[in-house]
Amino acid sequence: MRDEVQDYYGKHLSGSDDLQTNACCDQTPPEHLKPLLTRLHDEVISRYYGCGLVAPAALEGTRVLDLGCGSGRDAYLLSALVGERGSVVGVDMTEEQLAVARRHQDFHRDQFGHGHSNVMFLKGFIEELDQLDLEPGGFDVVVSNCVINLSTDKAKVLTDLKRLLKPGGEFYFSDVYADRRVPAALTRDPVLYGECLSGALYWNDFLNLSKDCGFADPRLVESRRLTIDNPAIEAKLGDIRFYSATYRLFNLDGLEPACEDYGQAVVYKGTVAEQPHGFLLDGHHYLPTGKVFPVCGNSWRMLAESRFRSHFDYIGDFSTHYGIFQDCGLNPPFNDTTPSSGGGCC
């Protein structure tokens, strides 16, 4: 199927208007990104295919890897966010898309006032990152936008990118997921696959795969239902529902499989420029500026051992364990009439 996908994006699609469904369509960007998006080259925008936004907070000075960078829209947006002290490497398998991206390097260097281009594009397959000249542990952040579903070896992708991430680095990505396993017959349909549908993982298989590949606590940032908007394709898919979702996976060894309470808390300082009033870690954790916010051990580590460390004050350690956070879905199953003194970060 890899050759079919390469042909679909390299020769069949000449622009986003050629897509047959709405699976690879963006949401409205946040206000702080809109001015940057208007400065991207029109050809780069016209050849963009994605289902979300992959611009996490606090990227200044970081090194970012963009998997399936295509025409370079996200790579160039990220190049503005990382600044001249940072850098972005884009990887794509489609020569036609890479030609568009490379054609406009000087344009974007000038647009963002950089003395030199901080973007590099490599041709390669995201299942073969180990065959590219990429430094192990060399990236603060890896992103991808509606690309993992197109891969025929998703476990290899996750394993390779974990090796490329620094300790405390993260994989922040948007992709398409299904509410059940897609039948094998549909996965052989090149149009359904190219439209980012039949290669989509069942969401629970994705969670288990992430954990098997060393990302013990996947965090869902946001999600939305995809409506497809093509009656013929909807008829083929039957009752399968598809969702666009953004996850963040932190490269932290030893994360626990559940939300464990060690009496810890954090206080957000409000110092991330694009999030002055509160910090969004994931869909269950919005941390208001200045508020003492109880968190589980995993959340504490995701902040304390990542690029976000300096933006928080930290309370507590791991010396005393109080069990599972209440209301986290993993409370003890036993009957107990004793009132709980717990509170939850979830």
Side-chain angles (χ1 to χ4, degrees), residues 78 170 213 334 340:
L78 293 164
E170 70 166 317
C213 293
F334 317 113
S340 171

Side-chain angles (χ1 to χ4, degrees), residues 65-79:
L65 175 64
D66 181 5
L67 302 182
C69 63
S71 65
R73 192 208 74 161
D74 289 338
Y76 285 124
L77 175 65
L78 293 164
S79 78

Side-chain angles (χ1 to χ4, degrees), residues 153-263:
D153 191 348
K154 297 171 176 62
K156 180 64 161 52
V157 177
L158 290 177
T159 300
D160 278 355
L161 69 86
K162 187 177 190 303
R163 178 180 57 84
L164 295 172
L165 280 170
K166 296 178 180 179
E170 70 166 317
F171 181 34
Y172 187 97
F173 67 111
S174 294
D175 217 280
V176 176
Y177 301 90
D179 71 343
R180 65 201 70 186
R181 295 180 180 120
V182 178
L186 296 181
T187 66
R188 294 189 288 269
D189 186 312
V191 173
L192 293 182
Y193 211 98
E195 291 286 326
C196 301
L197 295 170
S198 64
L201 281 173
Y202 165 48
W203 65 268
N204 205 24
D205 287 343
F206 160 72
L207 295 178
N208 289 322
L209 176 64
S210 297
K211 295 169 185 177
D212 290 343
C213 293
F215 296 103
D217 190 358
R219 295 295 179 93
L220 176 62
V221 179
E222 59 182 1
S223 64
R224 60 188 172 94
R225 172 82 183 277
L226 296 176
T227 55
I228 310 302
D229 293 343
N230 183 316
I233 288 181
E234 289 172 359
K236 284 186 178 182
L237 296 171
D239 292 333
I240 304 173
R241 294 184 178 184
F242 293 90
Y243 299 84
S244 170
T246 300
Y247 275 95
R248 64 192 328 162
L249 311 182
F250 284 88
N251 183 28
L252 292 168
D253 292 335
L255 289 179
E256 299 186 271
C259 188
E260 305 291 348
D261 184 0
Y262 292 92

